[in-house]
Amino acid sequence: MRLALLVSLAFSLAAAALTPAEMTAVEQFVSSTGQVGGENGPTNEEIAHDLAAALGLHNSARLLYKHSPDAPAGYAEMYDTLLFIYTGSFTTQPQKKALKPVIQYFEHNLLH
């Protein structure tokens, strides 16, 4: 199932890795990470859900909601896809630079 999802994603991203709207979502994710856990800040699930929805990762997005018991599975699926995009030959250097802190955030805070 994961392979089929990644292959389908590869074909859809072959023309351009990330659209300007998707890049904006990546940048918003990075800026939101500093607010997680604050008094009125978003949760990890909420910021990951917003990113998943913006990137069209609907299966991951449906698993990510506040206090979701399925969040680890959603994070793992997103992480795999983000790595796929990051390592793809179609991804530009500025896109890789923007994705790197997202991947690192997943590695250090979301994947357990």
Side-chain angles (χ1 to χ4, degrees), residues 1-8 72-73 75-78 80-81:
M1 174 99 175
R2 271 187 166 166
L3 180 59
L5 175 67
L6 291 176
V7 169
S8 132
Y75 296 145
E77 286 182 20
M78 282 187 71
D80 289 346
T81 304

Side-chain angles (χ1 to χ4, degrees), residues 14-100:
L18 296 173
T19 66
E22 291 168 336
M23 283 296 292
T24 298
V26 167
E27 292 163 2
Q28 288 175 340
F29 177 88
V30 172
S31 69
S32 294
T33 59
Q35 301 167 12
V36 170
E39 187 174 318
N40 293 317
T43 64
N44 280 320
E45 294 96 336
E46 290 168 328
I47 66 171
H49 173 273
D50 292 347
L51 180 60
L55 295 177
L57 306 176
H58 304 294
N59 190 47
S60 295
R62 74 173 177 79
L63 298 173
L64 298 166
Y65 53 88
K66 197 170 188 175
H67 308 298
S68 169
D70 298 320
Y75 296 145
E77 286 182 20
M78 282 187 71
Y79 179 75
D80 289 346
T81 304
L82 290 167
L83 279 179
F84 179 78
I85 295 168
Y86 182 80
T87 59
S89 60
F90 46 81
T91 307
T92 66
Q93 286 303 318
Q95 291 172 337
K96 288 182 181 197
K97 184 177 180 180
L99 285 169
K100 187 173 184 171

